[in-house]
Amino acid sequence: MTQTPPLTVYFDGACPVCSAEIALYRRRPGAEALHFVDAAACPAEALGEGLTREAALARIHTRGPDGAMLSGARAFAAIWQRLPGFRWLGVVVGHPMVAPVAEVGYRVFLRVRHLWRPG
């Protein structure tokens, strides 16, 4: 059986909400399908081509085995589609009719997430 190469997930490890969510994913069955990179702490070369630290800290990103980058709600859909128990959510959020609405919700979160950062 050939295993699919992992989806790389770039997240802001300095964001308490983001870190808690990533910790949840890491504990889930199927987490081996994801490779996590803390954009707040990694060396610049760990971000790979086409992703700056500023962009990686501004919103969640994923890079597929083919090098394709996704961000925001579409990145979450890609993550969830790889995790048993979340796959249905990934399919729903990834649907062309739902993805734009999910992206609006994610952008609202981005505007308020600074409220959870320590002093």
Side-chain angles (χ1 to χ4, degrees):
M1 181 172 126
T2 305
Q3 189 167 4
T4 304
L7 179 75
T8 302
V9 178
Y10 303 94
F11 70 99
D12 180 359
C15 168
V17 175
C18 307
S19 293
E21 185 163 7
I22 294 301
L24 170 75
Y25 299 152
R26 284 182 164 159
R27 292 190 304 268
R28 299 288 303 178
E32 65 279 355
L34 303 169
H35 172 69
F36 298 97
V37 176
D38 178 352
C42 71
E45 58 271 8
L47 298 173
E49 188 177 331
L51 183 61
T52 65
R53 188 173 313 276
E54 181 181 28
L57 293 175
R59 55 193 283 124
I60 195 164
H61 287 75
T62 60
R63 185 185 313 268
D66 62 355
M69 298 279 299
L70 298 172
S71 71
R74 293 187 191 279
F76 278 108
I79 293 166
W80 296 331
Q81 287 172 10
R82 297 241 179 165
L83 293 174
F86 284 86
R87 285 192 178 121
W88 68 270
L89 185 57
V91 170
V92 170
V93 171
H95 189 278
M97 298 289 288
V98 177
V101 175
E103 181 62 26
V104 169
Y106 182 66
R107 288 179 185 205
V108 169
F109 163 75
L110 291 176
R111 289 182 172 265
V112 299
R113 76 179 176 139
H114 72 278
L115 298 173
W116 287 283
R117 287 187 184 265

